Amino acid sequence: MILADGQNERVRIILRETLEEIASFGDGGRQPGQFYGVHSIASDSKGNLYTTEIYEGKRVQKFVYRGIASMPRGYQGLLWPRR
């Protein structure tokens, strides 16, 4: 399950059965991958994620699905720029 956490400016990935957070990404800001009041989240039939923001950000961000891979647990940081 994916949760938009506007107060902490992150998107969280949670196991539905236990409600355990397995990963999260994002931070406060106005750059790609950062959020300024992330409010809603949706996905399309291709697995892409879309987030919307409130406050003065007022934008939609698209996160492109690139397949399933192993991922370390915990905070993933910002998705942009890739270091």
Side-chain angles (χ1 to χ4, degrees):
M1 179 167 53
I2 300 173
L3 171 73
D5 182 356
Q7 185 169 359
N8 295 304
E9 311 292 357
R10 289 190 182 172
V11 171
R12 300 181 185 277
I13 302 168
I14 299 171
L15 288 176
R16 184 183 303 265
E17 297 81 20
T18 62
L19 299 179
E20 173 191 2
E21 180 181 315
I22 56 173
S24 65
F25 64 89
D27 202 357
R30 297 177 186 261
Q31 299 300 318
Q34 297 178 330
F35 304 109
Y36 192 61
V38 64
H39 184 264
S40 300
I41 194 161
S43 63
D44 64 17
S45 62
K46 296 179 182 176
N48 300 315
L49 292 178
Y50 300 86
T51 61
T52 63
E53 299 175 17
I54 55 175
Y55 306 133
E56 294 304 315
K58 297 178 185 172
R59 64 181 175 166
V60 174
Q61 291 190 69
K62 178 181 178 181
F63 298 90
V64 177
Y65 176 75
R66 295 219 172 126
I68 297 174
S70 62
M71 178 177 79
R73 288 182 171 255
Y75 180 58
Q76 302 300 308
L78 297 176
L79 301 178
W80 181 92
R82 184 65 74 186
R83 293 181 182 106

